[in-house]
Amino acid sequence: MVNQSSPTGFLLLGFSEHPHLEKILFVVVLCSYLLTLLGNTLILLLSTLDPRLHSPMYFFLSNLSFLDLCFTTTCVPQMLFNLWGPTKTISFLGCSVQLFIFMLLGTTECILLTVMAFDRYVAVCQPLHYATIIHPRLCQQLAGVAWGIGLVQSIVQIPPTLKLPFCPHRQIDDFLCEVPSLIRLSCGDTTFNEIQLAVAGVIFLLVPLSLILVSYGAIVRAVLKTNSRKGRRKAFGTCSSHLIVVTLFYSSVIAVYLQPKNPYAQERGKFFGLFYAVGTPTFNPLVYTLRNKEVKRAFWKLLGKDVDSGES
């Protein structure tokens, strides 16, 4: 699969035309990465140790946290290396591995967020049947399907991308190896690759997003029919965290993968891609921990403090 037009790898230009911005971005990316490691590891730890978090909602949240840990670790170390010094190279093998894992995890997160929306739909709209419908075996199966679809998408999408005839300058106008950037680097016919990427965008971005919106439409209707103000507040509180995460993730991913072909959109896409790769994995644990009383209770319990004092 090694492409003879790029024997020594690629040059990741990133934001090299703004050297002062690179130093600022290095600090921002490093701090975000450390917060990502801390926040998502904490969620995994709490979900494992606290019996009250052994529920479908936190099972899927644990999968999301593990995914975010892998997601950022795939690209951030290379990104920090490139931002810190003048060397912007990445080997062909390194680019291939990054591309494969990045596609796998990105697709998996699209499906996983849809599964989490289905879980919230059943919890709000079918509360009496929730335990029967969302049982542990189904949770494992749904998570397995999400990871399996991500793997299949990588196997299908990545080989044709890596076989493209890349231009001799080997300069990728991005800070990591992504399919749109490698397609733009090609000096040959990319019609098949562009069609393949567009179809994947519809199947793995627009369709899951539509299902999520339909789920939340049903949730809103069900909540508005509830006479209890406390019940409404609890339902909206439970779903709002997931909806914030969905908004952050899909808005940045769509801006990267479904952007029009022009220089302005390409430059803007790099910032959205940076937020997609670094920002969303950082914000996810913050959103779920700061807005979730059960997670905060588990955190204070882990520290050996009284729950009431932790909530005050």
mmCIF file of all heavy atoms in Angstrom, residues 172-199:
data_model
loop_
_atom_site.group_PDB
_atom_site.id
_atom_site.type_symbol
_atom_site.label_atom_id
_atom_site.label_comp_id
_atom_site.label_asym_id
_atom_site.label_seq_id
_atom_site.Cartn_x
_atom_site.Cartn_y
_atom_site.Cartn_z
ATOM 1 N N ILE A 172 0.762 18.708 3.049
ATOM 2 C CA ILE A 172 -0.635 18.610 3.470
ATOM 3 C C ILE A 172 -1.007 19.901 4.189
ATOM 4 O O ILE A 172 -0.414 20.238 5.217
ATOM 5 C CB ILE A 172 -0.856 17.406 4.412
ATOM 6 C CG1 ILE A 172 -0.494 16.102 3.705
ATOM 7 C CG2 ILE A 172 -2.299 17.363 4.890
ATOM 8 C CD1 ILE A 172 -0.600 14.873 4.587
ATOM 9 N N ASP A 173 -1.967 20.631 3.654
ATOM 10 C CA ASP A 173 -2.371 21.903 4.248
ATOM 11 C C ASP A 173 -3.328 21.647 5.414
ATOM 12 O O ASP A 173 -4.503 22.011 5.397
ATOM 13 C CB ASP A 173 -3.023 22.794 3.195
ATOM 14 C CG ASP A 173 -3.226 24.219 3.703
ATOM 15 O OD1 ASP A 173 -2.577 24.571 4.712
ATOM 16 O OD2 ASP A 173 -4.016 24.954 3.108
ATOM 17 N N ASP A 174 -2.782 21.004 6.433
ATOM 18 C CA ASP A 174 -3.555 20.655 7.621
ATOM 19 C C ASP A 174 -2.572 20.323 8.732
ATOM 20 O O ASP A 174 -1.360 20.262 8.490
ATOM 21 C CB ASP A 174 -4.476 19.464 7.336
ATOM 22 C CG ASP A 174 -5.748 19.497 8.183
ATOM 23 O OD1 ASP A 174 -5.696 20.089 9.285
ATOM 24 O OD2 ASP A 174 -6.766 18.924 7.768
ATOM 25 N N PHE A 175 -3.079 20.087 9.954
ATOM 26 C CA PHE A 175 -2.191 19.755 11.063
ATOM 27 C C PHE A 175 -2.221 18.271 11.394
ATOM 28 O O PHE A 175 -1.534 17.835 12.326
ATOM 29 C CB PHE A 175 -2.561 20.576 12.310
ATOM 30 C CG PHE A 175 -4.011 20.476 12.679
ATOM 31 C CD1 PHE A 175 -4.481 19.451 13.465
ATOM 32 C CD2 PHE A 175 -4.913 21.421 12.217
ATOM 33 C CE1 PHE A 175 -5.810 19.354 13.791
ATOM 34 C CE2 PHE A 175 -6.260 21.338 12.537
ATOM 35 C CZ PHE A 175 -6.707 20.299 13.327
ATOM 36 N N LEU A 176 -2.998 17.484 10.658
ATOM 37 C CA LEU A 176 -3.009 16.035 10.810
ATOM 38 C C LEU A 176 -3.472 15.402 9.508
ATOM 39 O O LEU A 176 -3.938 16.078 8.592
ATOM 40 C CB LEU A 176 -3.905 15.610 11.983
ATOM 41 C CG LEU A 176 -5.346 16.126 12.038
ATOM 42 C CD1 LEU A 176 -6.274 15.278 11.204
ATOM 43 C CD2 LEU A 176 -5.830 16.146 13.481
ATOM 44 N N CYS A 177 -3.312 14.089 9.411
ATOM 45 C CA CYS A 177 -3.693 13.361 8.201
ATOM 46 C C CYS A 177 -5.183 13.050 8.239
ATOM 47 O O CYS A 177 -5.646 12.269 9.086
ATOM 48 C CB CYS A 177 -2.893 12.060 8.101
ATOM 49 S SG CYS A 177 -1.140 12.306 7.783
ATOM 50 N N GLU A 178 -5.935 13.683 7.347
ATOM 51 C CA GLU A 178 -7.352 13.413 7.207
ATOM 52 C C GLU A 178 -7.669 13.173 5.743
ATOM 53 O O GLU A 178 -6.949 13.648 4.852
ATOM 54 C CB GLU A 178 -8.190 14.573 7.743
ATOM 55 C CG GLU A 178 -8.236 14.650 9.253
ATOM 56 C CD GLU A 178 -9.380 15.525 9.739
ATOM 57 O OE1 GLU A 178 -9.231 16.748 9.719
ATOM 58 O OE2 GLU A 178 -10.417 14.968 10.137
ATOM 59 N N VAL A 179 -8.759 12.479 5.485
ATOM 60 C CA VAL A 179 -9.124 12.113 4.119
ATOM 61 C C VAL A 179 -9.291 13.339 3.219
ATOM 62 O O VAL A 179 -8.728 13.364 2.116
ATOM 63 C CB VAL A 179 -10.400 11.241 4.113
ATOM 64 C CG1 VAL A 179 -10.879 11.007 2.679
ATOM 65 C CG2 VAL A 179 -10.142 9.904 4.797
ATOM 66 N N PRO A 180 -10.037 14.382 3.616
ATOM 67 C CA PRO A 180 -10.173 15.549 2.712
ATOM 68 C C PRO A 180 -8.833 16.182 2.362
ATOM 69 O O PRO A 180 -8.619 16.600 1.215
ATOM 70 C CB PRO A 180 -11.054 16.512 3.522
ATOM 71 C CG PRO A 180 -11.808 15.649 4.472
ATOM 72 C CD PRO A 180 -10.864 14.549 4.835
ATOM 73 N N SER A 181 -7.912 16.257 3.326
ATOM 74 C CA SER A 181 -6.603 16.873 3.073
ATOM 75 C C SER A 181 -5.779 16.047 2.097
ATOM 76 O O SER A 181 -5.101 16.598 1.217
ATOM 77 C CB SER A 181 -5.838 17.021 4.394
ATOM 78 O OG SER A 181 -6.567 17.802 5.309
ATOM 79 N N LEU A 182 -5.819 14.737 2.210
ATOM 80 C CA LEU A 182 -5.059 13.871 1.309
ATOM 81 C C LEU A 182 -5.662 13.866 -0.091
ATOM 82 O O LEU A 182 -4.940 13.756 -1.085
ATOM 83 C CB LEU A 182 -4.991 12.454 1.867
ATOM 84 C CG LEU A 182 -4.102 12.289 3.103
ATOM 85 C CD1 LEU A 182 -4.212 10.876 3.665
ATOM 86 C CD2 LEU A 182 -2.655 12.608 2.779
ATOM 87 N N ILE A 183 -6.961 14.002 -0.177
ATOM 88 C CA ILE A 183 -7.599 14.108 -1.494
ATOM 89 C C ILE A 183 -7.147 15.389 -2.197
ATOM 90 O O ILE A 183 -6.848 15.398 -3.395
ATOM 91 C CB ILE A 183 -9.137 14.063 -1.363
ATOM 92 C CG1 ILE A 183 -9.591 12.649 -0.955
ATOM 93 C CG2 ILE A 183 -9.807 14.462 -2.677
ATOM 94 C CD1 ILE A 183 -11.082 12.517 -0.725
ATOM 95 N N ARG A 184 -7.070 16.486 -1.434
ATOM 96 C CA ARG A 184 -6.609 17.750 -2.019
ATOM 97 C C ARG A 184 -5.144 17.678 -2.436
ATOM 98 O O ARG A 184 -4.716 18.405 -3.338
ATOM 99 C CB ARG A 184 -6.805 18.893 -1.011
ATOM 100 C CG ARG A 184 -8.244 19.289 -0.775
ATOM 101 C CD ARG A 184 -8.328 20.625 -0.048
ATOM 102 N NE ARG A 184 -7.739 20.552 1.275
ATOM 103 C CZ ARG A 184 -8.425 20.281 2.381
ATOM 104 N NH1 ARG A 184 -9.733 20.034 2.305
ATOM 105 N NH2 ARG A 184 -7.823 20.254 3.551
ATOM 106 N N LEU A 185 -4.360 16.801 -1.799
ATOM 107 C CA LEU A 185 -2.939 16.674 -2.115
ATOM 108 C C LEU A 185 -2.708 15.891 -3.405
ATOM 109 O O LEU A 185 -1.637 15.980 -4.004
ATOM 110 C CB LEU A 185 -2.210 15.984 -0.953
ATOM 111 C CG LEU A 185 -0.707 15.762 -1.078
ATOM 112 C CD1 LEU A 185 0.030 17.096 -1.193
ATOM 113 C CD2 LEU A 185 -0.182 14.969 0.114
ATOM 114 N N SER A 186 -3.705 15.166 -3.849
ATOM 115 C CA SER A 186 -3.531 14.311 -5.024
ATOM 116 C C SER A 186 -3.410 15.137 -6.305
ATOM 117 O O SER A 186 -4.079 16.156 -6.483
ATOM 118 C CB SER A 186 -4.706 13.346 -5.148
ATOM 119 O OG SER A 186 -4.619 12.604 -6.338
ATOM 120 N N CYS A 187 -2.538 14.657 -7.215
ATOM 121 C CA CYS A 187 -2.387 15.272 -8.543
ATOM 122 C C CYS A 187 -3.119 14.473 -9.619
ATOM 123 O O CYS A 187 -2.977 14.758 -10.806
ATOM 124 C CB CYS A 187 -0.902 15.377 -8.901
ATOM 125 S SG CYS A 187 -0.028 16.623 -7.934
ATOM 126 N N GLY A 188 -3.859 13.469 -9.207
ATOM 127 C CA GLY A 188 -4.587 12.632 -10.160
ATOM 128 C C GLY A 188 -6.089 12.826 -10.039
ATOM 129 O O GLY A 188 -6.575 13.763 -9.398
ATOM 130 N N ASP A 189 -6.830 11.933 -10.667
ATOM 131 C CA ASP A 189 -8.286 11.992 -10.657
ATOM 132 C C ASP A 189 -8.805 11.514 -9.297
ATOM 133 O O ASP A 189 -8.528 10.396 -8.870
ATOM 134 C CB ASP A 189 -8.842 11.105 -11.776
ATOM 135 C CG ASP A 189 -10.353 11.182 -11.876
ATOM 136 O OD1 ASP A 189 -10.944 12.123 -11.291
ATOM 137 O OD2 ASP A 189 -10.964 10.291 -12.500
ATOM 138 N N THR A 190 -9.554 12.359 -8.609
ATOM 139 C CA THR A 190 -10.063 12.028 -7.275
ATOM 140 C C THR A 190 -11.583 11.897 -7.251
ATOM 141 O O THR A 190 -12.186 11.946 -6.185
ATOM 142 C CB THR A 190 -9.632 13.110 -6.273
ATOM 143 O OG1 THR A 190 -10.175 14.383 -6.688
ATOM 144 C CG2 THR A 190 -8.122 13.209 -6.169
ATOM 145 N N THR A 191 -12.185 11.728 -8.435
ATOM 146 C CA THR A 191 -13.653 11.684 -8.508
ATOM 147 C C THR A 191 -14.227 10.569 -7.639
ATOM 148 O O THR A 191 -15.162 10.787 -6.856
ATOM 149 C CB THR A 191 -14.107 11.471 -9.967
ATOM 150 O OG1 THR A 191 -13.580 12.511 -10.780
ATOM 151 C CG2 THR A 191 -15.626 11.482 -10.050
ATOM 152 N N PHE A 192 -13.641 9.368 -7.750
ATOM 153 C CA PHE A 192 -14.135 8.232 -6.957
ATOM 154 C C PHE A 192 -14.003 8.518 -5.467
ATOM 155 O O PHE A 192 -14.923 8.254 -4.685
ATOM 156 C CB PHE A 192 -13.357 6.956 -7.315
ATOM 157 C CG PHE A 192 -13.656 5.798 -6.405
ATOM 158 C CD1 PHE A 192 -14.816 5.061 -6.556
ATOM 159 C CD2 PHE A 192 -12.775 5.457 -5.380
ATOM 160 C CE1 PHE A 192 -15.099 3.992 -5.703
ATOM 161 C CE2 PHE A 192 -13.045 4.397 -4.525
ATOM 162 C CZ PHE A 192 -14.211 3.664 -4.697
ATOM 163 N N ASN A 193 -12.868 9.069 -5.049
ATOM 164 C CA ASN A 193 -12.631 9.347 -3.629
ATOM 165 C C ASN A 193 -13.590 10.403 -3.094
ATOM 166 O O ASN A 193 -14.072 10.297 -1.959
ATOM 167 C CB ASN A 193 -11.186 9.801 -3.423
ATOM 168 C CG ASN A 193 -10.180 8.781 -3.913
ATOM 169 O OD1 ASN A 193 -9.871 8.743 -5.107
ATOM 170 N ND2 ASN A 193 -9.664 7.957 -3.016
ATOM 171 N N GLU A 194 -13.856 11.415 -3.921
ATOM 172 C CA GLU A 194 -14.777 12.466 -3.487
ATOM 173 C C GLU A 194 -16.199 11.937 -3.363
ATOM 174 O O GLU A 194 -16.923 12.298 -2.429
ATOM 175 C CB GLU A 194 -14.714 13.637 -4.462
ATOM 176 C CG GLU A 194 -13.390 14.397 -4.421
ATOM 177 C CD GLU A 194 -13.303 15.473 -5.480
ATOM 178 O OE1 GLU A 194 -14.317 15.695 -6.179
ATOM 179 O OE2 GLU A 194 -12.238 16.093 -5.612
ATOM 180 N N ILE A 195 -16.600 11.086 -4.302
ATOM 181 C CA ILE A 195 -17.930 10.477 -4.215
ATOM 182 C C ILE A 195 -18.015 9.578 -2.986
ATOM 183 O O ILE A 195 -19.013 9.595 -2.242
ATOM 184 C CB ILE A 195 -18.243 9.678 -5.499
ATOM 185 C CG1 ILE A 195 -18.387 10.616 -6.692
ATOM 186 C CG2 ILE A 195 -19.512 8.846 -5.313
ATOM 187 C CD1 ILE A 195 -18.565 9.910 -8.018
ATOM 188 N N GLN A 196 -16.971 8.796 -2.763
ATOM 189 C CA GLN A 196 -16.926 7.906 -1.605
ATOM 190 C C GLN A 196 -17.022 8.700 -0.295
ATOM 191 O O GLN A 196 -17.762 8.319 0.618
ATOM 192 C CB GLN A 196 -15.629 7.097 -1.626
ATOM 193 C CG GLN A 196 -15.545 6.017 -0.540
ATOM 194 C CD GLN A 196 -14.200 5.311 -0.567
ATOM 195 O OE1 GLN A 196 -13.164 5.921 -0.825
ATOM 196 N NE2 GLN A 196 -14.212 4.009 -0.297
ATOM 197 N N LEU A 197 -16.299 9.822 -0.229
ATOM 198 C CA LEU A 197 -16.337 10.657 0.971
ATOM 199 C C LEU A 197 -17.709 11.296 1.157
ATOM 200 O O LEU A 197 -18.212 11.384 2.288
ATOM 201 C CB LEU A 197 -15.258 11.736 0.874
ATOM 202 C CG LEU A 197 -15.086 12.645 2.101
ATOM 203 C CD1 LEU A 197 -14.654 11.835 3.316
ATOM 204 C CD2 LEU A 197 -14.069 13.747 1.808
ATOM 205 N N ALA A 198 -18.327 11.731 0.068
ATOM 206 C CA ALA A 198 -19.657 12.343 0.147
ATOM 207 C C ALA A 198 -20.699 11.337 0.620
ATOM 208 O O ALA A 198 -21.548 11.655 1.465
ATOM 209 C CB ALA A 198 -20.049 12.916 -1.213
ATOM 210 N N VAL A 199 -20.637 10.125 0.078
ATOM 211 C CA VAL A 199 -21.578 9.078 0.491
ATOM 212 C C VAL A 199 -21.387 8.743 1.970
ATOM 213 O O VAL A 199 -22.355 8.592 2.729
ATOM 214 C CB VAL A 199 -21.390 7.813 -0.379
ATOM 215 C CG1 VAL A 199 -22.205 6.651 0.181
ATOM 216 C CG2 VAL A 199 -21.789 8.101 -1.822
#
